[in-house]
Each structure stands twice: as structure tokens, then as C-alpha cells.
Amino acid sequence: MKTHFSLQTMRRALHDSLPCVCLWVLAAGLPAAVLGQANYSTPYTFTTLAGRNGEGSADGTNSAARFSNPYGVAVDTNGNVYAADFLNCTIRKITPIGTDRVVTTLAGLAGVSGTNDGTGIAARFYHPSGVAADNAGNLYVSDLHNDTIRKMTPVGTNWVVTTLAGLGGVPGSANGTGSAARFYHPSAVAVDGVGNVYVTDGLNETIRKVTPAGAVTTLAGMVGVSGSADGTNSAARFDLAYGLAVDSAGNLYVADQNNNTVRKVTPLGANWVVTTLAGQAGVSGSADGTGTKARFYYPDGIAVDSAGNVYVADQNNNTVRQLRWDGTNWVVTTLAGRAGSSGFVDGTGSAARFFVPTGMAVDSTGNVYVGDTYNNAVREVTPAGVVTTLAGGATGGGGSPDGTGSAARFNFPLGAAVDTNGNVYTADLEGNTIRQVTPAGVVTTLAGQTGVAGSGDGTGTNALFNGPCGPAVDSAGSVYVADWGNHTIRKVTPVGTNWVVTTLAGKAGHPGLLNGMGTNAEFDYPNGVAVDTNGNVYVADTANAAIRKVTPAGAVTTLSTDFSGPTGAAVGSNGTVYVADYYSYTIRKVTPGGAVTILAGLADSPGSADGTNTTARFNYPNYVAVDTAGNVYVADSGNDTVRKVTPAGANWVVTTLAGVAGNSAYADGTGTNALFAGARGVAVDSAGDVYVADANNNAIRKGFPASSVPAPVLQPPSLSAGQFSFGITGLPNLAVDIESSGDFSEWQVIGTSILEGGTNYFVSPFPPQGAQFYRAQVR
């Protein structure tokens, strides 16, 4: 398949240790030579094997456009919708043209963070999370990780970005004017009719105001003190105030995320009075109802219409809610989506599906616009609850459809296992299914019914699961699953072309710590499983803080209870069980006799440092795998990294194979250029290739030792109408930067893309000026 890619100009630090191929071209003709070189030193190169449909940065029309975790949205009086494209670090515009919606990038450069003010792509953002539009057509942005409030002014066809308040990269809580003020992860913005900007200053636990001149004051809440108390000014308390809206009377509405409530901040003279409209602090749920009887689950975006109705993106319920004043109370109803069922489906009311809806805006006719973050889409919800996709997202289907590569969808894959043929198995936690991914990236559902929870045994879709996770596969091809919500261990056996599910041990709905045979045994939220060459299954029984053993006949014994909360298990050829002890931040091992030792990490000391034994640090390690040489691989979910624990004599040395601690994102690439969002499953095959269930990215990723990754090959180029183009071939799903230089002294990244099969074609948007050199480099 050929891909035509219009390159964007960007700058990026060079990765001199990565494989690259080079060519040069003169403005008057074609390249005189093509040179190649390879030099690998970074540990693993990760590509996407399957899933992650719809993510990207491309401008375009309707579903041809791509976003990367869009958060905040805004709508102007002309019906244009604006989105803060969080992971792309850009601000996008969605313009209605007839029945189409055309997406363009107004400011920022996809994949490049920074603090620069400037025009269009010269400006830089660092994870913008909120956006608002005023009556004059200006935009305001909460630049989350820059800790600033930015203003975007239209000048002709351009957009000029300036910093209204705060200082890039310097968090704090100080009031003041312009760069003298400080914010700490401002999450959302709203603007009133006279140009005052209001800010939910997330980690400061306050609500702030910024005048058109950039003067910042604190309206409500107390810096650094969380709580749920209603009250006036600093007597009020918030707990991660997120979404924000302002009505025509100057009242503010706040989605108080960790309190699971919706709050109102009312101006009263020189004071601001905070009250709770709906929800109950500290109690999550999905119930509709009146006032405190209603329940929310991490509400995020919020909007208010001209009639005073309030709309909420109820993030973890994957729903859009409405609050309506009935004269005496606020009545909460669900406008669209179904609580507990994530997916990507257009439809009406509860037939529609969202996946982590965040930002929200409403237009003058009552249409609600939603940043559907994990679907990488912007959606519209009419007053009647009819949901359509404006731009981005998948190109059809819903739920968790099977397919090949990026055409397949997952719903929070948890755990990974690989068989001798290279097939990968994962448990789709929120989809309640068991999936298989072939080496070619073909995804099929083996058992379970998407979105339907239950405990019944049976064949294929007749079997039901309740939060399956952490699969393992034996030499005969049978898959074992920890059925978390059922407190059972299930076996999925291939029979011809079918897969038959049976319950090996435990009794659905009966948690406990009880040894015994089959359904007489009890588990308490089991998580990961492993299987040895004799068919014995080892279980990380999380809530029991235990490692359990289940024989092929279903007899359950307890090996050890000397853990803090194990979630992942792997078994070596000598019967040693390796454990990710999630809540103690350590990697441990259990001998066949039940003796427990810590291999790496320090109990109760989270961190991300590589090192030897207890000098290394982990942050909620989730799953483990072990190869034939005794190396242990770790999905370090809190750090969003993949780690390796290598035996060295009596010691264990920890290194990071890929990912960046604290950087939750999505990128294929090598070493620190590969990014994950919730690495929650790891497996290793006989060749040393590593497979990762990238849960929040809904993708299955594959990592190769860097020395085995072939350099991309540049094909003969051409020059036409002043534009330079060339073809490039390489490993499918390999992330490649295209760089150019006029003199070899400074290289400029002019485009980044994920290679597809066959030859990929790249066209430079700028004609070469004088001598021009190009190279392609693996990220």
C-alpha cells in the first residue's frame, strides 16, 4: 500500500545513534548519490502490531483528519469548533463546509512541545488541555504542562500566540500580572462577555481569574489544600477541579473531578460563593437523580447553554450528562452513552458509545461538542441525544471490532502472552473478551461477548467474562485467564476452529482465600497468571496478597502470602515464579518451596531509576515475563516504561528498554522515542522480541532488539514543480523522521510518519533553496 505524505516542518534533537539513510539533492537536479549507515545503541525499537486506530495529526475532512487525545473543545458564534489536541501539542479548528467538517491546525507543531510564542507553527505548546473562544474570535488556551494561559489572536489568515499569564515551565500559585503570575497545571479555561478568562488551576486546587490585561487573582479555594467544603472564597475546597464554564450572568460551573461533583461559583459583590449542585463528594457512580442523589465518576468537561442547562463529560462513565434546574432542584439525566460501556459508536442516547470523553462546549442551538479523548475524535450531541462524529476517530464500526493492524480496536487490553508461533493473546478488560493477534497483526475474538459481563462457561461468544486480565498460554495452545471480577481462573481451549471456555478454579461471585479443588477454592480479585511446562497455573491473587498454584486438575494451594498486592506472574523453566508486586513497587521471586526474595526495587519506595538490586526503582509494576536465559521483563505501568531485569551473578541489573518515565503518550520508535500510556502487559518470545499491551492507547505493541531492526531504504527520488519527493521502504509500523539540511551543520525534521507495507512516498512542502540534503532516521 502506498502512502502519500505531505511533510510538515519541525525541529527535533538528532538521534545520532539511530539507524538512518541519507541522500542529497541540488535545486537544479536530482540527488547525486544515496548513502546508508546503521548504528544501533538504543535498547528496543517498538512498533504497533494492532489497534490504535484513528490516532495521528493529519489535517483533513471528517474521518480523514486525525487527532491525538483531544481534550478541551470550544465553539464560536459561526459554528466553528476548536480543539486542544493534547498529545499533538497543537490547537485545531473544525470548520463546517456544507455537510463536511474540515480540520486545520491553527498553531503549534504536531509532536513538538515548547513554550515559544509566535505565529502558527512557530508557536509551541506543552499538552494544551483547555480552549475557549471569546466574542471577538480570540482563543484562550490552558497550556497544562507549561503552567501558562495563552491567547491566540487571528491576524488575517494567521493565528498569533502570546502568553497572557504565567511563565512557561515554572509552576506556582502567585497572583500577579502576566509573567509574574504562577499556575500549577491549569486544566480548563472559560471566557466571559467582557474578556475575563477563568481558570481551573488543577494542582493548586483553586479557581483563578485573568483580566484582559493579564492580571491574575484567586477567586475560590485554598492553594494546595484539597477538600469538598462549600463556602466563600478561600473557605471553599476543591479536589482536582477540572472542567469550567461561565454563563451570561458570570456564574462559574466546575467539574470537581476527584470529588465526583458539579459545583457552582457565584459572584456576590466582591466575593465568590461555592455550592455543590449535584453528586456526593467522595462517592462515585452513574445514577441519574436530583442533587446529591445523582452520581458521577470523574466528571471532566463542563458547558452551560443559554437556558442555564449544564452539560458534563462524565469521563469514567463514558457518558454525557445534563443538569436541568426544575425550579427547586438540579435534576441529572444521561443524555448520551451508557455507563460502564466504552466504545466508538454513533447513535442516539444509550446506543451511542464514548471512550473517555473530556472537553465540552455547547452552541446557541443546544448542540453539545465533546472531545472524545481515547477515540481521538470530536463528537456532536444534539439536544435529542443523537451522537455523530464530526472529525477524527475510527473509520467505521464500534465497540471492539476485529480486523488487521490499525483497523482492529481494543478496549483496555490487560496482559499479554505469546505462543511458539508468535500469536499474541490479550484480555480486553472493558470489552470482557479474549483476543488473539497473529504475527501479521490480524485480530480475532476467541471468547466472550463485547461489552457483556457474566460468568458462564461455553464456546466462543456463549462464554462470558467479568473483567478478564493477565492471560498465559501453554505449549498446547490453551489460554488461561484471571477473571478478575468473577474471582475465578478460566481456561480457553482450542477445539477445531472454536474456543471452549471452562472454569478451572474458583467460584464466581465468591471472593476469599480458600484452597481446595475447582469451584471449592476461592480467590480475591486475581490478576495475572502464568503456566509451566507441566500445566500448573500460578496466580497473582491480588487482594489476598498471595501467589497461588492451580494444578491441571484444578487443585489450588497457596505458595506464599508474603506480598503487598501482586498483579503479574511469570514462571521460569526451573519452577521459579517471578512476581510484579504492584503495591510494594518491587519485582520478587518465589521458589518452588515458597521462599520469597526481592530481586529489584525497594519496598514502598516508588521511582524510575535503573540500577542494581534495591538501587533500582519501579512505579506500580504491573506484569512480568521471563525468557529462557532468566531475564525478567516488566511492564512498569506507573512509569509508562518497559524494563528488563538481568541476572548478573548474585545481582539483578535493571535497565529501561523503552518509554520515558512520567511521559504518558503514544509513539512508536526506539528507546526513549517509544512512548506508552499504561503499559499493562508484557510477553517475550524465543527470539527475544517483546510484546506489550498498551492499555490506555488500546494497542498491542511489539519491540525488537535494536540490532535486529533493518535501516530504512530510500528509493530513487524525483523533482517536479520545485517539490522534492522520494520513496522509502522499511519495517512496517516503523516510526521514521525525515530530516533536511542545507549545509550538514543543522538538520531540520520536516516530517514524521509510521511506515506502511510497500513503498511510502514523501513530498517536501518547501522547494530546496540551493543545495539540500535529506535523510531518514528511525525515531
Side-chain angles (χ1 to χ4, degrees):
M1 179 178 179
K2 296 180 179 180
T3 299
H4 296 274
F5 183 79
S6 179
L7 303 178
Q8 298 175 331
T9 303
M10 66 177 76
R11 292 186 181 273
R12 190 188 302 271
L14 296 180
H15 311 302
D16 291 333
S17 62
L18 304 183
C20 76
V21 290
C22 307
L23 58 84
W24 58 79
V25 61
L26 303 180
L30 300 180
V34 176
L35 304 179
Q37 70 179 55
N39 178 18
Y40 301 84
S41 63
T42 45
Y44 267 65
T45 296
F46 273 86
T47 64
T48 300
L49 184 61
R52 193 56 183 178
N53 193 17
E55 192 273 345
S57 62
D59 289 339
T61 301
N62 303 331
S63 62
R66 291 290 180 264
F67 298 88
S68 187
N69 284 194
Y71 269 48
V73 293
V75 59
D76 66 19
T77 55
N78 296 317
N80 298 300
V81 177
Y82 303 88
D85 202 0
F86 188 78
L87 292 185
N88 277 326
C89 297
T90 55
I91 306 300
R92 316 288 291 281
K93 180 180 181 180
I94 307 171
T95 306
I97 299 179
T99 59
D100 291 327
R101 299 297 178 113
V102 179
V103 178
T104 54
T105 300
L106 303 185
L109 191 56
V112 182
S113 62
T115 62
N116 298 357
D117 289 337
T119 301
I121 61 173
R124 295 290 181 270
F125 300 91
Y126 190 11
H127 293 161
S129 58
V131 63
D134 68 16
N135 295 331
N138 301 299
L139 300 179
Y140 301 87
V141 179
S142 51
D143 200 0
L144 185 80
H145 285 143
N146 274 328
D147 300 302
T148 54
I149 306 302
R150 316 288 290 277
K151 181 178 180 179
M152 294 175 56
T153 306
V155 179
T157 58
N158 297 316
W159 288 79
V160 178
V161 179
T162 55
T163 300
L164 182 63
L167 185 61
V170 183
S173 61
N175 290 326
T177 300
S179 60
R182 295 290 183 271
F183 299 89
Y184 193 9
H185 286 194
S187 52
V189 288
V191 59
D192 66 20
V194 294
N196 295 303
V197 179
Y198 302 90
V199 182
T200 44
D201 199 5
L203 294 188
N204 275 326
E205 309 289 3
T206 56
I207 309 299
R208 316 285 292 278
K209 177 181 176 180
V210 188
T211 69
V216 179
T217 54
T218 300
L219 305 184
M222 180 173 283
V223 173
V225 181
S226 62
S228 61
D230 289 337
T232 301
N233 302 336
S234 61
R237 295 289 182 271
F238 300 91
D239 193 355
L240 196 59
Y242 220 87
L244 183 66
V246 58
D247 66 18
S248 58
N251 300 298
L252 306 179
Y253 300 85
V254 179
D256 198 2
Q257 193 167 91
N258 284 351
N259 277 324
N260 294 304
T261 55
V262 177
R263 318 285 291 278
K264 183 177 181 180
V265 187
T266 305
L268 185 62
N271 296 314
W272 293 80
V273 180
V274 179
T275 54
T276 299
L277 304 186
Q280 186 172 347
V283 182
S284 63
S286 61
D288 290 336
T290 300
T292 58
K293 294 181 180 179
R295 295 290 181 269
F296 299 90
Y297 194 3
Y298 289 155
D300 197 295
I302 194 167
V304 58
D305 67 18
S306 57
N309 299 305
V310 179
Y311 303 86
V312 178
D314 200 2
Q315 180 180 259
N316 278 16
N317 278 324
N318 294 300
T319 55
V320 174
R321 316 288 290 279
Q322 183 190 66
L323 284 74
R324 178 179 52 82
W325 179 249
D326 70 356
T328 55
N329 297 297
W330 287 90
V331 180
V332 180
T333 56
T334 300
L335 183 61
R338 181 178 177 183
S341 296
S342 61
F344 183 71
V345 182
D346 288 340
T348 301
S350 60
R353 293 291 183 272
F354 301 89
F355 192 16
V356 188
T358 52
M360 180 165 284
V362 60
D363 67 18
S364 59
T365 59
N367 296 305
V368 178
Y369 302 90
V370 182
D372 196 4
T373 300
Y374 282 2
N375 277 324
N376 295 300
V378 177
R379 318 283 292 279
E380 179 184 78
V381 188
T382 70
V386 179
V387 179
T388 55
T389 300
L390 296 186
T395 55
S400 303
D402 291 338
T404 301
S406 63
R409 302 280 279 174
F410 296 92
N411 202 342
F412 209 80
L414 207 60
V418 60
D419 66 20
T420 54
N421 296 316
N423 298 301
V424 180
Y425 301 86
T426 191
D428 226 359
L429 179 77
E430 295 187 4
N432 290 311
T433 55
I434 309 303
R435 317 288 291 279
Q436 181 194 70
V437 188
T438 71
V442 179
V443 179
T444 54
T445 299
L446 306 183
Q449 194 173 140
T450 300
V452 180
S455 61
D457 290 338
T459 300
T461 58
N462 291 319
L464 297 177
F465 298 88
N466 187 11
C469 50
V473 59
D474 66 18
S475 57
S478 295
V479 179
Y480 301 84
V481 179
D483 199 0
W484 185 83
N486 281 324
H487 312 288
T488 56
I489 307 303
R490 315 287 291 277
K491 182 177 180 179
V492 188
T493 306
V495 179
T497 59
N498 296 315
W499 292 80
V500 179
V501 178
T502 55
T503 300
L504 181 62
K507 187 174 182 180
H510 289 266
L513 177 59
L514 184 64
N515 293 328
M517 180 66 69
T519 57
N520 291 319
E522 293 178 351
F523 300 88
D524 197 354
Y525 292 112
N527 205 311
V529 296
V531 58
D532 66 18
T533 54
N534 296 316
N536 298 300
V537 178
Y538 301 86
V539 181
D541 196 5
T542 305
N544 279 323
I547 299 298
R548 317 283 293 279
K549 180 180 178 179
V550 188
T551 69
V556 179
T557 55
T558 301
L559 289 184
S560 175
T561 58
D562 190 19
F563 295 89
S564 295
T567 52
V571 59
S573 57
N574 61 356
T576 297
V577 179
Y578 301 89
V579 180
D581 200 10
Y582 188 84
Y583 290 109
S584 74
Y585 312 108
T586 57
I587 306 302
R588 314 179 77 172
K589 78 172 183 179
V590 187
T591 67
V596 179
T597 55
I598 295 176
L599 303 186
L602 184 63
D604 304 319
S605 298
S608 61
D610 288 339
T612 301
N613 303 333
T614 58
T615 64
R617 295 290 185 270
F618 297 89
N619 189 14
Y620 295 122
N622 202 270
Y623 287 99
V624 290
V626 60
D627 65 19
T628 54
N631 299 298
V632 179
Y633 301 83
V634 182
D636 198 4
S637 65
N639 282 321
D640 294 304
T641 54
V642 180
R643 317 285 292 278
K644 182 177 181 181
V645 187
T646 305
N651 296 314
W652 293 83
V653 180
V654 178
T655 54
T656 300
L657 298 185
V660 177
N663 192 349
S664 181
Y666 169 79
D668 284 332
T670 302
T672 56
N673 289 308
L675 298 176
F676 304 88
R680 293 180 180 271
V682 64
V684 59
D685 65 18
S686 58
D689 297 334
V690 174
Y691 303 83
V692 175
D694 195 2
N696 287 337
N697 281 322
N698 285 299
I700 304 300
R701 317 278 292 276
K702 183 176 182 179
F704 306 86
S707 59
S708 69
V709 180
V713 177
L714 295 179
Q715 304 299 328
S718 64
L719 190 65
S720 177
Q723 285 193 306
F724 173 68
S725 66
F726 58 90
I728 182 171
T729 58
L731 189 70
N733 294 315
L734 195 66
V736 176
D737 284 343
I738 310 299
E739 300 175 338
S740 69
S741 174
D743 57 6
F744 283 113
S745 65
E746 182 178 0
W747 288 89
Q748 181 179 13
V749 178
I750 60 171
T752 299
S753 188
I754 308 300
L755 297 185
E756 297 185 16
T759 300
N760 302 253
Y761 288 94
F762 302 89
V763 180
S764 173
F766 307 112
Q769 301 297 318
Q772 195 73 12
F773 306 89
Y774 292 83
R775 69 182 184 184
Q777 202 159 233
V778 175
R779 295 183 71 237

